[in-house]
Amino acid sequence: MPAVPPAGRRERKRQQVRDQLYAAALRLFVSQGYEATTMDQIAETADVARATVFNHFSQKVGFLEEWGVRRRARVNEILGSQRAEDLPVGDRLRRYLKEMADLNVVSRAETTVLMDASARYGRLLQDPSLETELARIVEQGQRRGEVRADVDCEQAGQLLAACYFTTILRWIRTEPAPFDLQQRLAGALGIILRGLLVDEAA
């Protein structure tokens, strides 16, 4: 067996440490709250030096951003395994929001803390990552003739992302959950799709 290049080992080690820090931070956020958690506590829980935390996450808010990145990556991984890109645009958007809803439902305590912290201290509504991803799906549907030609795909992505975030923020507001998250997102998407699709009855 050929030796693994040193650079590869270093990168894997770096990713392991990053994963370790991320897991430690999330445990602390859920158990004692985002505000109460310090970078020193994260270092101690992850059993690394304080400087190591800052080498990977220069600010505590970086953990919130990482959480969002990993959530979207997980959904894309699931949809990729289902070949969702072959679905009509309406079904693809429904599947995307369903998988996002499912992730939030199975980790409600985590979602409640992290989403609230993202809204208060992060760039939840300023970060274009989700709206860009959703706009890309709409644009692909437009190229296939499924979405009306006069639709601004970027604006559609912004609308879909805003709808998702405001629905989640209402869902985490009280305990127990005030409504079925998947059902509420599907209903909102249905309203939006009537303005996007060539077939308005979709």
Side-chain angles (χ1 to χ4, degrees), residues 99-153:
E99 295 300 341
M100 289 288 277
D102 287 349
L103 280 179
N104 289 313
V105 169
V106 299
S107 58
R108 179 171 163 80
E110 177 185 303
T111 298
T112 298
V113 174
L114 274 292
M115 190 64 77
D116 180 68
S118 296
R120 290 172 181 268
Y121 307 106
R123 297 176 59 249
L124 183 68
L125 299 179
Q126 290 79 40
D127 184 349
S129 302
L130 180 61
E131 62 189 51
T132 299
E133 209 158 287
L134 293 169
R136 189 178 301 116
I137 295 174
V138 174
E139 185 179 8
Q140 289 167 351
Q142 193 175 60
R143 287 200 301 267
R144 295 194 301 218
E146 300 168 14
V147 172
R148 290 180 10 228
D150 62 339
V151 166
D152 182 321
C153 297

Side-chain angles (χ1 to χ4, degrees), residues 23-197:
L26 259 60
R27 284 199 301 274
L28 289 167
F29 294 158
V30 172
S31 65
Q32 65 184 30
Y34 176 82
E35 290 179 79
T37 299
T38 66
M39 296 293 257
D40 285 339
Q41 290 174 328
I42 293 170
E44 183 178 351
T45 301
D47 194 25
V48 299
R50 184 175 188 271
T52 302
V53 183
F54 287 95
N55 285 339
H56 289 266
F57 298 94
S58 60
Q59 295 179 305
K60 193 167 66 168
V61 72
F63 290 102
L64 302 179
E65 294 166 356
E66 182 82 0
W67 182 70
V69 168
R70 292 188 184 217
R71 280 289 171 102
R72 291 190 298 275
R74 178 58 183 149
V75 167
N76 283 321
E77 180 184 341
I78 293 169
L79 296 182
S81 69
Q82 299 172 353
R83 297 191 59 81
E85 68 273 9
D86 298 331
L87 294 172
V89 65
D91 291 340
R92 188 173 173 190
L93 287 168
R94 289 186 191 96
R95 187 74 59 84
Y96 190 100
L97 291 182
K98 175 190 178 299
E99 295 300 341
M100 289 288 277
D102 287 349
L103 280 179
N104 289 313
V105 169
V106 299
S107 58
R108 179 171 163 80
E110 177 185 303
T111 298
T112 298
V113 174
L114 274 292
M115 190 64 77
D116 180 68
S118 296
R120 290 172 181 268
Y121 307 106
R123 297 176 59 249
L124 183 68
L125 299 179
Q126 290 79 40
D127 184 349
S129 302
L130 180 61
E131 62 189 51
T132 299
E133 209 158 287
L134 293 169
R136 189 178 301 116
I137 295 174
V138 174
E139 185 179 8
Q140 289 167 351
Q142 193 175 60
R143 287 200 301 267
R144 295 194 301 218
E146 300 168 14
V147 172
R148 290 180 10 228
D150 62 339
V151 166
D152 182 321
C153 297
E154 182 178 338
Q155 186 176 26
Q158 292 170 355
L159 178 62
L160 287 162
C163 176
Y164 169 77
F165 286 131
T166 55
T167 302
I168 295 291
L169 290 172
R170 288 188 175 93
W171 180 71
I172 66 172
R173 191 174 295 165
T174 58
E175 187 65 45
F179 51 81
D180 183 298
L181 180 60
Q182 187 183 124
Q183 189 177 65
R184 183 64 64 91
L185 284 171
L189 178 60
I191 295 170
I192 295 171
L193 286 176
R194 290 186 185 94
L196 291 180
L197 300 183

